[in-house]
Amino acid sequence: MKLIIQIPCLNEEETLPATVAELPRALPGFDAVELLVIDDGSTDRTVEVARECGVEHIVRLTNNKGLAAGFQAGLDACLKLGADVVVNTDADNQYQGADVAKLVAPILAGEADMVVGDRQVERIEHFSDAKKQLQHWGSWVVRRVSNTEVTDTTSGFRAYNREAALQLSVVDNFTYTLESLVQAGKMLVAVDEVPIGTNPQTRESRLAGSTGDYVRRNTPAILRIYARYEPLRAFVTAAIVVAVLALIAWLPFLIDAIFNGRSNGHIQSLILGAVLMITAVVLFALGVIGDLLAGQRVMTQRIFERVRRVELALGVPPSHYEKGGEKPSEKPDDSEEPTKVVEP
């Protein structure tokens, strides 16, 4: 079996050596453990540092496409390079590399297809109280949508077996963590979690510069995912709320008409109630349309999975792929023919 640990990077020349140094290069249950760096349009020496650190594989995107796109490109490359298990970790050395063994254990035991590392957010010192509460709230929402029991839904330290990786297709342009978990839950992928340790903070988060920025960017992402995967529930709930507001707006007119027999007053209330009720009907219609589109999304996702399987069967090489350097502790064996990967 082969394990590939992928590391999405954007200008990580300073933190990448420490991250790579902590990652295991051999694990029980695997014949090979290899590293893959996804360079998301870095402008520093990230690629050169990756080679110096002995990273075997590099996916070099031509420009900065975002974390979600980098994750997807890495996943595709790992599958085409023959990975049976893929582990994703961050380049800022946030996660303890030794915990890779804990992360893949449920997969090796046949108990899970996907495993998420639980950082135990309440113990992370550099997280503010507000950010911890937002993490808990966001994780609760994602658990409800995905029908999973994952505690730390924003953790990027994850492991996927080959079947789970084949089915994943992330389209959100901000972060892959939430959407991939919702997809896994909807596809009935067996999801587990294990407690992991974290290292001291090496730099500020690039996804969000502050708690306010985190709220501004993460809240819409959660709402988009909820509406994308549960459109009927999302829009019908909103329609019910607006319909109730319409009834409240009509109350002055109704009370006056019933108890006083006057039906020519409260025009403003009638107009407001009518506008709100029309809005409620439109929201309900959007929910029905969204539910129909959700069925099409499932079909598209299944087609995408089959295309991936066909590409693997045909030996299509990974996009933007470059071979990395040799492991520092090993010298190439002349008796073995090196693996050839055809450039696209």
Side-chain angles (χ1 to χ4, degrees):
M1 288 183 69
K2 178 188 285 190
L3 166 66
I4 296 183
I5 305 173
Q6 68 171 36
I7 315 168
C9 293
L10 174 62
N11 296 332
E12 300 287 5
E13 65 174 347
E14 294 183 2
T15 58
L16 187 58
T19 301
V20 171
E22 279 204 7
L23 294 172
R25 305 311 298 266
L27 281 175
F30 293 100
D31 301 311
V33 177
E34 299 173 355
L35 304 184
L36 179 145
V37 159
I38 305 112
D39 174 42
D40 191 18
S42 296
T43 57
D44 64 358
R45 296 185 64 254
T46 293
V47 172
E48 289 77 5
V49 170
R51 295 185 192 281
E52 292 167 3
C53 292
V55 170
E56 289 87 351
H57 311 288
I58 296 170
V59 171
R60 195 170 190 173
L61 303 181
T62 51
N63 64 325
N64 178 230
K65 301 181 185 299
L67 182 57
F71 168 80
Q72 193 70 52
L75 205 63
D76 179 72
C78 289
L79 289 170
K80 289 175 178 177
L81 290 166
D84 298 289
V85 179
V86 178
V87 166
N88 185 86
T89 189
D90 289 350
D92 62 356
N93 202 31
Q94 175 184 176
Y95 310 109
Q96 294 181 358
D99 286 337
V100 168
K102 294 169 61 177
L103 205 62
V104 300
I107 292 177
L108 290 175
E111 298 171 353
D113 302 309
M114 171 181 173
V115 184
V116 180
D118 178 12
R119 293 170 293 177
Q120 305 165 83
V121 171
E122 63 279 356
R123 298 184 182 181
I124 301 179
E125 295 181 358
H126 64 269
F127 276 18
S128 66
D129 291 338
K131 188 171 183 178
K132 290 177 183 178
Q133 290 301 317
L134 288 168
Q135 290 271 8
H136 287 307
W137 176 80
S139 293
W140 177 82
V141 173
V142 174
R143 283 196 297 273
R144 290 290 300 271
V145 179
S146 64
N147 298 319
T148 63
E149 298 299 325
V150 174
T151 305
D152 186 7
T153 59
T154 57
S155 170
F157 196 40
R158 303 180 173 200
Y160 307 85
N161 67 9
R162 192 171 182 82
E163 285 303 308
L166 277 166
Q167 297 178 63
L168 282 181
S169 173
V170 179
V171 298
D172 194 288
N173 59 4
F174 173 52
T175 176
Y176 65 91
T177 55
L178 305 181
E179 186 177 5
S180 60
L181 188 56
V182 172
Q183 276 191 19
K186 296 299 181 185
M187 294 183 299
L188 303 180
V189 170
V191 181
D192 199 359
E193 66 177 350
V194 294
I196 59 166
T198 56
N199 294 317
Q201 186 179 22
T202 56
R203 59 166 173 76
E204 293 296 327
S205 171
R206 290 176 181 163
L207 278 180
S210 64
T211 301
D213 189 40
Y214 180 83
V215 174
R216 182 181 62 81
R217 300 190 68 180
N218 221 35
T219 300
I222 293 173
L223 293 176
R224 281 197 306 271
I225 292 168
Y226 188 78
R228 186 179 299 139
Y229 289 91
E230 292 288 351
L232 190 61
R233 181 186 298 177
F235 285 101
V236 168
T237 300
I240 291 172
V241 171
V242 175
V244 170
L245 293 175
L247 293 174
I248 293 173
W250 280 335
L251 275 179
F253 172 82
L254 294 173
I255 292 173
D256 207 11
I258 293 171
F259 293 101
N260 301 321
R262 291 183 297 191
S263 58
N264 57 352
H266 304 287
I267 301 301
Q268 297 90 338
S269 296
L270 280 174
I271 294 173
L272 177 60
V275 170
L276 289 173
M277 189 56 71
I278 291 171
T279 303
V281 172
V282 171
L283 286 171
F284 180 80
L286 287 174
V288 174
I289 295 171
D291 194 52
L292 295 174
L293 291 175
Q296 293 298 314
R297 178 189 52 75
V298 172
M299 293 299 296
T300 302
Q301 192 169 339
R302 290 176 179 172
I303 293 171
F304 177 77
E305 178 191 342
R306 293 194 176 191
V307 169
R308 261 184 173 168
R309 293 182 185 276
V310 170
E311 286 186 345
L312 292 176
L314 294 175
V316 176
S319 301
H320 306 288
Y321 177 79
E322 298 179 9
K323 193 168 180 60
E326 299 295 335
K327 298 179 184 178
S329 58
E330 295 182 1
K331 294 182 179 179
D333 187 352
D334 295 334
S335 64
E336 295 184 2
E337 185 178 350
T339 303
K340 296 181 179 179
V341 177
V342 181
E343 295 289 345

